């Protein structure tokens, strides 16, 4: 009987933890979806990809790097970085990561990072709604060392319906294009 109660307690605990984690992911999406859409408008990186990467790389905003350095994408310092630095173990001991004033700056730098690195140039030839192509391309270009990175991003996008933010971004892009192409009447 005691074993049975322990198993039930463990099951209930795991269910509660899973439900809380799922709610944390939903909260993260709600908090950063508009930032991802704005970055899509600016950089033409699908909002779904940006959100999935942010979710994964920052453990939905709960990682030490996200909390203490506002770095939601695990972007390392590199030689050109002149801002604040944060050190922690990653692929090697005591690696240098970029520190941002706020998470939104991390999102903007993530877009700029992809836009300015030649190894990611082929991604911008893909349709802006081709999240699977982007996920595969990021892995192939060496964005992450995890061999399952492509599958992680795709699963996250599909599980949480993140493509709806691509559609929102696309609609805003089309509306902006229409607005800019309308001739202005003058008196």
């Amino acid at each position: 009987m005691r074993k049975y109660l322990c198993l039930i307690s463990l099951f209930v605990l795991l269910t509660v933890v899973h439900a809380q984690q799922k709610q944390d992911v939903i909260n993260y999406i709600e908090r950063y979806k508009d930032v991802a859409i704005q970055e899509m408008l600016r950089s033409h990186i699908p909002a779904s990809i940006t959100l999935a990467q942010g979710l994964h790389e920052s453990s939905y905003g709960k990682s030490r790097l996200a909390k203490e350095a506002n770095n939601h994408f695990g972007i390392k310092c590199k030689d050109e970085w002149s801002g604040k630095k944060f050190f922690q173990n990653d692929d090697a001991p005591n690696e240098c990561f970029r520190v941002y004033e706020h998470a939104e700056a991390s999102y903007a730098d993530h877009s700029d990072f992809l836009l300015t690195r030649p190894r990611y140039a082929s991604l911008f030839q893909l349709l802006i709604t081709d999240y699977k192509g982007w996920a595969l391309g990021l892995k192939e270009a060496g964005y992450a060392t995890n061999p399952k990175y492509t599958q992680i991003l795709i699963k996250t996008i599909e599980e949480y319906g993140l493509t709806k933010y691509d559609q929102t971004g696309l609609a805003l892009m089309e509306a902006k294009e229409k607005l800019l192409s309308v001739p202005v009447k003058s008196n």
Side-chain angles (χ1 to χ4, degrees):
M1 179 69 167
R2 188 175 169 156
K3 265 186 179 179
Y4 180 69
L5 287 175
C6 284
L7 284 174
I8 289 175
S9 297
L10 181 61
F11 176 76
V12 169
L13 178 63
L14 290 175
T15 302
V16 169
V17 167
H18 178 71
Q20 181 59 53
Q21 180 180 355
K22 193 166 182 101
Q23 187 59 52
D24 289 342
V25 169
I26 291 166
N27 292 345
Y28 184 94
I29 293 167
E30 189 60 34
R31 182 168 181 191
Y32 294 110
K33 69 179 184 245
D34 293 332
V35 178
I37 292 168
Q38 289 301 317
E39 285 305 310
M40 179 177 169
L41 296 174
R42 185 176 76 84
S43 68
H44 293 226
I45 299 167
S48 62
I49 286 292
T50 300
L51 279 170
Q53 285 189 281
L55 278 161
H56 176 68
E57 299 290 339
S58 74
S59 295
Y60 44 90
K62 303 285 184 185
S63 72
R64 184 171 169 237
L65 188 59
K67 287 181 178 180
E68 295 181 32
N70 287 315
N71 188 329
H72 285 239
F73 298 92
I75 298 179
K76 295 180 180 167
C77 293
K78 307 290 182 197
D79 292 337
E80 75 274 5
W81 183 251
S82 60
K84 292 181 183 178
K85 299 173 180 177
F86 181 86
F87 296 89
Q88 77 174 16
N89 297 341
D90 191 47
D91 296 327
N94 208 30
E95 288 196 89
C96 182
F97 290 86
R98 298 176 181 195
V99 174
Y100 303 98
E101 287 295 316
H102 45 76
E104 292 78 5
S106 174
Y107 271 73
D109 194 42
H110 169 262
S111 297
D112 293 343
F113 185 85
L114 295 179
L115 281 166
T116 59
R117 301 297 189 285
R119 68 183 182 179
Y120 301 116
S122 65
L123 293 172
F124 294 92
Q125 303 306 310
L126 298 171
L127 291 174
I128 202 162
T129 54
D130 184 5
Y131 68 92
K132 290 180 180 178
W134 272 83
L136 179 61
L138 284 166
K139 175 62 183 134
E140 288 177 346
Y143 187 91
T145 56
N146 185 334
K148 294 184 179 182
Y149 196 71
T150 300
Q151 294 87 343
I152 290 167
L153 293 182
I154 291 170
K155 180 179 186 270
T156 300
I157 289 166
E158 291 176 351
E159 183 175 344
Y160 292 99
L162 301 183
T163 58
K164 67 184 164 199
Y165 305 115
D166 295 340
Q167 295 307 316
T168 300
L170 192 57
L172 289 169
M173 291 169 116
E174 290 169 353
K176 180 181 176 185
E177 194 174 294
K178 250 186 205 177
L179 187 64
L180 294 176
S181 68
V182 173
V184 178
K185 293 182 183 179
S186 61
N187 293 333

